[in-house]
Amino acid sequence: MFSHISVGVRDLQKSLKLYDPIMACLGYPRLFGDEEEGFMAYGPGDCFFIINTPLDPERGPVTFNNGGHICFKADSPSAVTQFYETALSLGANGGGTPGIRSEYAADYYAAFIFDYDGNKLEVLARETSK
């Protein structure tokens, strides 16, 4: 359904210090971008996620979306946990520890964080039976 999604960040250099490692936990490398232009894209290639500085500085600073979030797919519950722990170790705020969310589905293993700008991110892996 989506080609790409972007979220605003106030400081690209600072945000790259968070996004490079947490996206690597999910196997999503940098695809393209321009640090001087103020954006970077991550993903598997056929779709991607972008962080960018304000597109129109005249309209003011970046503000986060209070009520929405973006959910990334992970290959395994361990990747969800690694994403969460890496994010917290780099100064992101927790929004929900890794674990089964049975209110969504019996196999819904997810975690939530808030990036440096307040963007809410979720990471999800479907837990398979052992």
Side-chain angles (χ1 to χ4, degrees):
M1 175 187 287
F2 298 103
S3 167
H4 59 278
I5 295 173
S6 65
V7 297
V9 297
R10 290 176 287 201
D11 182 333
L12 184 68
Q13 293 303 315
K14 181 179 178 182
S15 294
L16 290 172
K17 291 176 183 173
L18 173 66
Y19 278 94
D20 283 351
I22 64 174
M23 297 307 272
C25 291
L26 304 177
Y28 300 144
R30 283 187 184 187
L31 294 177
F32 60 88
D34 187 322
E35 293 180 42
E36 289 184 27
E37 292 285 326
F39 73 98
M40 191 59 59
Y42 300 88
D46 57 342
C47 61
F48 47 92
F49 172 73
I50 300 170
I51 59 173
N52 54 262
T53 54
L55 301 174
D56 183 358
E58 303 266 330
R59 292 179 55 200
V62 165
T63 57
F64 63 89
N65 176 352
N66 187 14
H69 75 278
I70 295 172
C71 181
F72 297 104
K73 288 183 179 181
D75 290 335
S76 66
S78 63
V80 170
T81 301
Q82 182 182 14
F83 175 97
Y84 182 82
E85 290 175 353
T86 300
L88 267 55
S89 76
L90 295 168
N93 291 315
T97 58
I100 290 289
R101 302 294 195 277
S102 58
E103 64 273 26
Y104 304 143
D107 65 345
Y108 199 104
Y109 190 93
F112 298 85
I113 67 155
F114 291 93
D115 75 4
Y116 302 145
D117 296 289
N119 295 303
K120 187 174 185 180
L121 307 175
E122 177 183 4
V123 62
L124 162 68
R126 295 294 182 159
E127 192 170 66
T128 57
S129 32
K130 298 175 181 160

